[in-house]
Amino acid sequence: MPAGHAGRRWNVVHLHNFSVDQCLKCSTCNTVCPVYAVNEKYPGPKFLGPETARLKKSKPVAHAAADYCTGCRQCELVCPNGVPITHLAQEAKNWGKKQKGIPLRDWILGHNQWVSSLASRVAPLTNLVLGLKLVRRLGERTLGLKNRPFPTYHRPFSFRHKGVRNAERKVAFFTGCYGRYNGTGVAQSVVSVLEKCGVEVVVPPQKCCGVPMLSNGLIEEAKNNAVFNLKVLHELVEQGFQVVTSCPSCALSLKHDYALHFNLPQAAQVAAHVYDISEFLWHHGLLQEQELKPLKKRFFYHQPCHTKAQGMGSPAKDLLSLIPELELAVREQKCCGQAGTYGFKKEKYDTSWAIASPLFQDVAACRVEGIVTECGMCSLQLAHGTGKNVFHPMEILDQSLKG
Ligand code: SF4
Ligand code: SF4
């Protein structure tokens, strides 16, 4: 196994080397921004990124619309000159929050780990309460949380070591909050697939990756979590572990954001050992067609924006294509509009829904029995908009994988 895999993905842009003159004003970023496409008040990535940064040279600039950036990174993916647009838009967003203060709702959504930890301890009750129309209406009126479906909570994922020890390949599984409190079946499938492939798995102590905090202006808290996660993961990397995660946003934080936003000393070394779970299996050739049982089903595959942003191709689709008799309907990949906590916010819900509508139409046109996607929040939005069951690729692979 390679000691690391730096260089097989995008270049991390170091902000201290960045000059606003890097922006060529080509507007390519605006053409792919899902918010710019549906919300006429949104000035777009070119303005919120490099142009606002240029104005900021004399004094910080806040723009109310910056709060409408979903952080999807599609602008950065297409920029021909490596402008760190999302980071610049995030700075404009942070400055606005600093001036106005962080609303209670955003503070709650940002502290997703605390909330989920409490909610999952009394999971049946939480799900019952969150399902009550009266509670949802109250949440909308008092907090500004949209009256819409919320994630289902389960008892926290608990890992018991049953597989191989001292294997040639060993991984630390970063479950993320979704895998730990909501998608516990996904976390179980990840462990099951890895163990069937003869990989040793450990699940280290971990804190929320920080994406919900960053999205809601809680920068210091996000940095504290990054410091904790890097310390734990760095020790494991030194012992020869690779890091895998089943959540695209966690993967992006660990691979990219800890180095970009916080400039922490261990960030680059850890990042070189982080894999999306499908990327890990595909990259190391751990699954072969003959090990997979036929699955006579037809699914729609949705690639989350944060999976695309990792610049690693479509390893989940590649793996699923190995399953005999499984049909995958794949269309042009579109944003689902949920963007973590964004789609729960009352004032952003219409934008979120407008972004998602073409994707919902694609699913309806494909006549599938379910949807496969890597992201827990995309799953929630897709189930909400299409009424279909949504699965993580590892759940499907686990069903098909013999052993
Ligand atoms: S794509 Fe890049 S270079 Fe072109 S306008 Fe946007 S930020 Fe500037
Ligand atoms: S991150 Fe996404 S929503 Fe934000 S400016 Fe870029 S493309 Fe638009």
PDB file of all heavy atoms in Angstrom, residues 22-29 46 50 79-80 83 85, ligand 1:
ATOM      1  N   GLN A  22      -5.434  36.756  -9.249  1.00  0.00           N
ATOM      2  CA  GLN A  22      -5.576  35.441  -9.891  1.00  0.00           C
ATOM      3  C   GLN A  22      -6.915  35.310 -10.614  1.00  0.00           C
ATOM      4  O   GLN A  22      -7.065  34.516 -11.524  1.00  0.00           O
ATOM      5  CB  GLN A  22      -5.519  34.345  -8.821  1.00  0.00           C
ATOM      6  CG  GLN A  22      -4.162  33.691  -8.691  1.00  0.00           C
ATOM      7  CD  GLN A  22      -4.102  32.792  -7.482  1.00  0.00           C
ATOM      8  OE1 GLN A  22      -3.496  33.147  -6.492  1.00  0.00           O
ATOM      9  NE2 GLN A  22      -4.738  31.642  -7.553  1.00  0.00           N
ATOM     10  N   CYS A  23      -7.911  36.070 -10.172  1.00  0.00           N
ATOM     11  CA  CYS A  23      -9.224  35.978 -10.819  1.00  0.00           C
ATOM     12  C   CYS A  23      -9.158  36.624 -12.203  1.00  0.00           C
ATOM     13  O   CYS A  23      -8.797  37.793 -12.353  1.00  0.00           O
ATOM     14  CB  CYS A  23     -10.294  36.668  -9.970  1.00  0.00           C
ATOM     15  SG  CYS A  23     -11.867  36.707 -10.831  1.00  0.00           S
ATOM     16  N   LEU A  24      -9.519  35.829 -13.214  1.00  0.00           N
ATOM     17  CA  LEU A  24      -9.457  36.297 -14.601  1.00  0.00           C
ATOM     18  C   LEU A  24     -10.746  36.983 -15.043  1.00  0.00           C
ATOM     19  O   LEU A  24     -10.879  37.390 -16.183  1.00  0.00           O
ATOM     20  CB  LEU A  24      -9.215  35.091 -15.526  1.00  0.00           C
ATOM     21  CG  LEU A  24      -8.066  34.154 -15.158  1.00  0.00           C
ATOM     22  CD1 LEU A  24      -8.136  32.875 -15.961  1.00  0.00           C
ATOM     23  CD2 LEU A  24      -6.744  34.875 -15.396  1.00  0.00           C
ATOM     24  N   LYS A  25     -11.725  37.005 -14.136  1.00  0.00           N
ATOM     25  CA  LYS A  25     -13.050  37.589 -14.413  1.00  0.00           C
ATOM     26  C   LYS A  25     -13.767  36.880 -15.564  1.00  0.00           C
ATOM     27  O   LYS A  25     -14.510  37.479 -16.328  1.00  0.00           O
ATOM     28  CB  LYS A  25     -12.948  39.084 -14.690  1.00  0.00           C
ATOM     29  CG  LYS A  25     -12.342  39.851 -13.530  1.00  0.00           C
ATOM     30  CD  LYS A  25     -12.609  41.321 -13.627  1.00  0.00           C
ATOM     31  CE  LYS A  25     -12.099  42.051 -12.417  1.00  0.00           C
ATOM     32  NZ  LYS A  25     -12.813  41.703 -11.214  1.00  0.00           N
ATOM     33  N   CYS A  26     -13.521  35.599 -15.689  1.00  0.00           N
ATOM     34  CA  CYS A  26     -14.130  34.848 -16.796  1.00  0.00           C
ATOM     35  C   CYS A  26     -15.587  34.475 -16.514  1.00  0.00           C
ATOM     36  O   CYS A  26     -16.336  34.102 -17.404  1.00  0.00           O
ATOM     37  CB  CYS A  26     -13.328  33.582 -17.054  1.00  0.00           C
ATOM     38  SG  CYS A  26     -13.359  32.432 -15.663  1.00  0.00           S
ATOM     39  N   SER A  27     -15.980  34.525 -15.239  1.00  0.00           N
ATOM     40  CA  SER A  27     -17.356  34.202 -14.807  1.00  0.00           C
ATOM     41  C   SER A  27     -17.720  32.731 -14.936  1.00  0.00           C
ATOM     42  O   SER A  27     -18.895  32.380 -14.801  1.00  0.00           O
ATOM     43  CB  SER A  27     -18.405  35.044 -15.548  1.00  0.00           C
ATOM     44  OG  SER A  27     -18.223  36.392 -15.243  1.00  0.00           O
ATOM     45  N   THR A  28     -16.761  31.865 -15.191  1.00  0.00           N
ATOM     46  CA  THR A  28     -17.081  30.436 -15.287  1.00  0.00           C
ATOM     47  C   THR A  28     -17.716  29.956 -13.985  1.00  0.00           C
ATOM     48  O   THR A  28     -18.636  29.130 -13.984  1.00  0.00           O
ATOM     49  CB  THR A  28     -15.798  29.624 -15.570  1.00  0.00           C
ATOM     50  OG1 THR A  28     -15.125  30.241 -16.656  1.00  0.00           O
ATOM     51  CG2 THR A  28     -16.097  28.181 -15.910  1.00  0.00           C
ATOM     52  N   CYS A  29     -17.208  30.476 -12.858  1.00  0.00           N
ATOM     53  CA  CYS A  29     -17.744  30.048 -11.547  1.00  0.00           C
ATOM     54  C   CYS A  29     -19.246  30.347 -11.458  1.00  0.00           C
ATOM     55  O   CYS A  29     -20.009  29.529 -10.922  1.00  0.00           O
ATOM     56  CB  CYS A  29     -16.978  30.713 -10.410  1.00  0.00           C
ATOM     57  SG  CYS A  29     -16.796  32.496 -10.586  1.00  0.00           S
ATOM     58  N   LYS A  46     -18.276  34.878  -8.216  1.00  0.00           N
ATOM     59  CA  LYS A  46     -17.238  35.824  -8.648  1.00  0.00           C
ATOM     60  C   LYS A  46     -17.274  37.078  -7.765  1.00  0.00           C
ATOM     61  O   LYS A  46     -16.258  37.555  -7.299  1.00  0.00           O
ATOM     62  CB  LYS A  46     -17.433  36.205 -10.117  1.00  0.00           C
ATOM     63  CG  LYS A  46     -16.328  37.126 -10.620  1.00  0.00           C
ATOM     64  CD  LYS A  46     -16.390  37.365 -12.113  1.00  0.00           C
ATOM     65  CE  LYS A  46     -17.465  38.367 -12.473  1.00  0.00           C
ATOM     66  NZ  LYS A  46     -17.354  38.854 -13.842  1.00  0.00           N
ATOM     67  N   PRO A  50     -13.626  36.552  -5.151  1.00  0.00           N
ATOM     68  CA  PRO A  50     -12.497  37.449  -5.428  1.00  0.00           C
ATOM     69  C   PRO A  50     -12.844  38.936  -5.407  1.00  0.00           C
ATOM     70  O   PRO A  50     -12.041  39.748  -4.962  1.00  0.00           O
ATOM     71  CB  PRO A  50     -12.027  37.011  -6.819  1.00  0.00           C
ATOM     72  CG  PRO A  50     -13.118  36.183  -7.384  1.00  0.00           C
ATOM     73  CD  PRO A  50     -13.874  35.610  -6.239  1.00  0.00           C
ATOM     74  N   CYS A  79     -12.979  26.736 -11.592  1.00  0.00           N
ATOM     75  CA  CYS A  79     -12.153  27.947 -11.758  1.00  0.00           C
ATOM     76  C   CYS A  79     -10.836  27.596 -12.451  1.00  0.00           C
ATOM     77  O   CYS A  79     -10.090  26.744 -11.983  1.00  0.00           O
ATOM     78  CB  CYS A  79     -11.878  28.584 -10.391  1.00  0.00           C
ATOM     79  SG  CYS A  79     -10.768  30.001 -10.532  1.00  0.00           S
ATOM     80  N   PRO A  80     -10.538  28.253 -13.571  1.00  0.00           N
ATOM     81  CA  PRO A  80      -9.322  27.878 -14.305  1.00  0.00           C
ATOM     82  C   PRO A  80      -8.044  28.353 -13.633  1.00  0.00           C
ATOM     83  O   PRO A  80      -6.950  27.962 -14.034  1.00  0.00           O
ATOM     84  CB  PRO A  80      -9.510  28.564 -15.664  1.00  0.00           C
ATOM     85  CG  PRO A  80     -10.400  29.721 -15.388  1.00  0.00           C
ATOM     86  CD  PRO A  80     -11.298  29.310 -14.257  1.00  0.00           C
ATOM     87  N   VAL A  83      -8.684  29.932  -7.858  1.00  0.00           N
ATOM     88  CA  VAL A  83      -9.106  30.909  -6.843  1.00  0.00           C
ATOM     89  C   VAL A  83      -9.882  30.170  -5.740  1.00  0.00           C
ATOM     90  O   VAL A  83     -10.819  29.432  -6.053  1.00  0.00           O
ATOM     91  CB  VAL A  83      -9.995  32.010  -7.482  1.00  0.00           C
ATOM     92  CG1 VAL A  83     -10.477  32.998  -6.429  1.00  0.00           C
ATOM     93  CG2 VAL A  83      -9.234  32.735  -8.581  1.00  0.00           C
ATOM     94  N   ILE A  85     -12.463  30.238  -4.030  1.00  0.00           N
ATOM     95  CA  ILE A  85     -13.695  31.057  -3.994  1.00  0.00           C
ATOM     96  C   ILE A  85     -14.540  30.750  -2.763  1.00  0.00           C
ATOM     97  O   ILE A  85     -15.036  31.655  -2.097  1.00  0.00           O
ATOM     98  CB  ILE A  85     -14.548  30.800  -5.265  1.00  0.00           C
ATOM     99  CG1 ILE A  85     -13.681  30.864  -6.506  1.00  0.00           C
ATOM    100  CG2 ILE A  85     -15.693  31.794  -5.353  1.00  0.00           C
ATOM    101  CD1 ILE A  85     -14.366  30.364  -7.767  1.00  0.00           C
TER     102      ILE A  85
HETATM  103  S1  SF4 B   1     -13.910  31.067 -12.380  1.00  0.00           S
HETATM  104 FE1  SF4 B   1     -12.120  31.783 -11.184  1.00  0.00          FE
HETATM  105  S2  SF4 B   1     -11.038  33.162 -12.585  1.00  0.00           S
HETATM  106 FE2  SF4 B   1     -13.121  32.909 -13.430  1.00  0.00          FE
HETATM  107  S3  SF4 B   1     -14.317  34.620 -12.515  1.00  0.00           S
HETATM  108 FE3  SF4 B   1     -14.584  32.850 -11.161  1.00  0.00          FE
HETATM  109  S4  SF4 B   1     -12.973  33.159  -9.600  1.00  0.00           S
HETATM  110 FE4  SF4 B   1     -12.414  34.455 -11.338  1.00  0.00          FE
END
